[in-house]
Amino acid sequence: MNDMWINKYLRIVRMYSPVFVLAGFILGCFAPAATRASASRAAADEQQHGIAIPVLNYHSIGVEPGNTYVLHPDKFARQMDYLASHHYTALTLGDFARIIEKKQPSPERPVLLTFDDGYANNAEVAMPILQRHGFPATLFLSPGFIGQPGYLSWPQVQKLSAAGWDIAPHGMTHPHLPRLSIEQQREEITESRRRIEQALGKSANVFAYPYGEYNEDTLKILQEEAYSYAFTTKEGYASSNQSPYELSRIVVHGEDDFATWVQKLLYSGRRK
């Protein structure tokens, strides 16, 4: 009985083996073609839109209902959990620059996490949440706020730096730069950088505009002072096709629900 079933099985295999071979051949032809087509589409998209990276812009992580720039810690934790579970790679400023300049390959899902102003809760609340996932971040600091109630101290800034955060200038006193004379702007831009570099012993040549505001004088100063990049609050992904001094970010608002945040993260880059 066993021999009969074995012989029957062998006859079936011999009968259909040409079909299996043909199917394998077809799949072998079309799979590389599909891969090549996908790679071609990605290359065409990069050529049209440049290398695009979502840059999330946070401020205070705390509890202050009605303040759009204060995000509840639970919301922030959920957002970071999402990034981790969806395999995002959080970048340092150095990573960001090298990827934009095509000196380093990009991970599949890059993201740059930025915090503006210098709130104490960035160290007390945000940093422990980020450390759970091994995420670095960038703090755009206004040194004139140091030591004021609710803001960071220099030891806290040094602790953030030691934990892998990049610390970069955001103006000395967080002014409306276009309202200042060119010399006043220069003082705000250069002194904030000097204070940070002096305190940390590291280069700080990337800027973020207070209130997202700037004018032609601001751009001129940044170029003359050899800044590499500057971030705005214009909605969208930062892209290699943008001016290095006019990079977009995705501002995270305290009142945004989780679905809105996800939509911004995934689709802001398509608005450009």
Side-chain angles (χ1 to χ4, degrees):
M1 178 67 69
N2 287 340
D3 289 344
M4 181 183 72
W5 283 107
I6 290 170
N7 290 332
K8 185 175 182 180
Y9 170 77
L10 290 174
R11 285 198 301 273
I12 293 172
V13 169
R14 286 195 294 271
M15 181 183 305
Y16 288 101
S17 59
V19 176
F20 297 147
V21 171
L22 179 61
F25 174 77
I26 292 172
L27 287 173
C29 289
F30 281 97
T35 302
R36 288 194 299 271
S38 177
S40 178
R41 284 194 299 270
D45 186 66
E46 180 179 314
Q47 185 174 5
Q48 181 180 357
H49 302 291
I51 298 171
I53 297 174
V55 180
L56 294 173
N57 176 207
Y58 295 96
H59 291 79
S60 177
I61 308 300
V63 182
E64 192 177 331
N67 188 334
T68 189
Y69 293 112
V70 180
L71 183 69
H72 195 286
D74 292 345
K75 284 188 171 184
F76 180 69
R78 186 180 182 189
Q79 292 172 9
M80 296 305 103
D81 288 344
Y82 177 93
L83 294 178
S85 65
H86 286 77
H87 309 293
Y88 277 84
T89 300
L91 306 176
T92 65
L93 271 182
D95 292 331
F96 173 86
R98 287 186 292 272
I99 291 169
I100 286 289
E101 295 165 11
K102 301 183 181 180
K103 296 178 180 177
Q104 173 180 317
S106 176
E108 184 176 355
R109 293 183 177 180
V111 65
L112 181 66
L113 306 173
T114 67
F115 295 78
D116 285 5
D117 303 340
Y119 297 97
N121 56 41
N122 292 172
E124 297 162 355
V125 180
M127 183 174 69
I129 293 171
L130 294 178
Q131 285 179 323
R132 291 206 297 261
H133 302 295
F135 287 169
T138 295
L139 170 64
F140 288 108
L141 175 67
S142 292
F145 291 165
I146 292 289
Q148 293 186 22
Y151 290 90
L152 293 161
S153 65
W154 277 118
Q156 286 178 309
V157 174
Q158 290 165 341
K159 184 178 179 180
L160 289 170
S161 178
W165 286 46
D166 292 301
I167 313 298
H170 193 43
M172 270 301 297
T173 64
H174 202 277
H176 295 274
L177 289 171
R179 300 179 187 177
L180 304 182
S181 69
I182 188 168
E183 288 311 317
Q184 289 172 322
Q185 284 201 51
R186 189 182 301 277
E187 177 68 14
E188 284 280 344
I189 290 168
T190 59
E191 184 62 13
S192 59
R193 177 179 180 176
R194 188 190 71 79
R195 295 278 187 96
I196 291 168
E197 291 182 340
Q198 184 179 52
L200 302 178
K202 300 177 181 179
S203 176
N205 64 346
V206 177
F207 194 77
Y209 303 107
Y211 306 104
E213 298 173 354
Y214 59 97
N215 59 17
E216 291 302 318
D217 286 342
T218 321
L219 299 176
K220 180 181 179 182
I221 294 166
L222 291 175
Q223 186 172 17
E224 290 174 350
E225 297 297 332
Y227 275 83
S228 297
Y229 294 98
F231 288 92
T232 70
T233 54
K234 294 176 181 176
E235 186 75 11
Y237 285 13
S239 166
S240 58
N241 282 359
Q242 295 165 1
S243 161
Y245 297 146
E246 296 179 284
L247 296 173
S248 297
R249 289 192 288 176
I250 301 167
V251 179
V252 180
H253 294 287
E255 68 270 18
D256 289 345
D257 61 24
F258 184 68
T260 299
W261 177 82
V262 171
Q263 186 176 25
K264 284 184 173 183
L265 173 68
L266 296 180
Y267 300 115
S268 289
R270 299 185 182 182
R271 297 174 188 171
K272 296 299 177 186

